[in-house]
Amino acid sequence: KRSCELFSQVISSADRNAQPWWLRYSMSLFEASRGIEAVAYLQRTLNRFPDEVECKAFATALYQGLGSRTEANSYWKTITRDDQILYSDESFLKDKLHWGSESIASLKSFINNS
């Protein structure tokens, strides 16, 4: 919760153009059960960085977590098979990318139900 507050203060004082670290803010919002707010920051980040695989993988997790499997699938299918395999590795998400537990669980749920 505290990290969301800190990110919010930084964003409100920053330029309104999406920055790469806004993906982390979106993730923090999702971890804090503020998924609807997370969508807005994720979408702005995706608009600016449409080819970023991590953004698409998190979009899959976020929309799965919000109960929109169709939307989640629309992002997942744009990821190459090699990257899908990489992002299916829980240790990669946790140890390399430092995703939170909700994001990991949500992506795992999506993959397990595919």
Side-chain angles (χ1 to χ4, degrees):
K1 182 174 173 153
R2 179 72 180 133
S3 63
C4 287
E5 292 170 2
L6 291 173
F7 270 128
S8 184
Q9 289 173 0
V10 171
I11 286 174
S12 67
S13 66
D15 182 48
R16 292 294 179 190
N17 291 326
Q19 302 297 318
W21 54 267
W22 284 23
L23 175 63
R24 298 289 174 242
Y25 181 54
S26 182
M27 290 176 169
S28 295
L29 290 170
F30 183 58
E31 294 295 322
S33 301
R34 294 168 58 185
I36 301 301
E37 292 172 78
V39 168
Y41 287 97
L42 173 64
Q43 287 302 323
R44 287 160 72 183
T45 306
L46 277 166
N47 288 340
R48 180 130 185 237
F49 307 100
D51 298 323
E52 180 57 45
V53 177
E54 187 176 7
C55 289
K56 293 188 268 187
F58 176 65
T60 303
L62 176 59
Y63 283 108
Q64 173 72 16
L66 295 174
S68 182
R69 184 160 181 82
T70 302
E71 189 73 16
N73 191 54
S74 72
Y75 288 101
W76 188 248
K77 69 183 183 182
T78 66
I79 299 172
T80 67
R81 183 68 186 134
D82 287 343
D83 283 331
Q84 287 178 354
I85 292 167
L86 182 62
Y87 279 82
S88 298
D89 180 357
E90 190 173 333
S91 64
F92 172 74
L93 298 174
K94 182 180 177 185
D95 301 329
K96 178 77 173 173
L97 299 180
H98 305 288
W99 279 26
S101 59
E102 293 297 319
S103 300
I104 293 170
S106 186
L107 185 60
K108 187 175 179 180
S109 171
F110 175 85
I111 292 167
N112 289 341
N113 291 308
S114 292

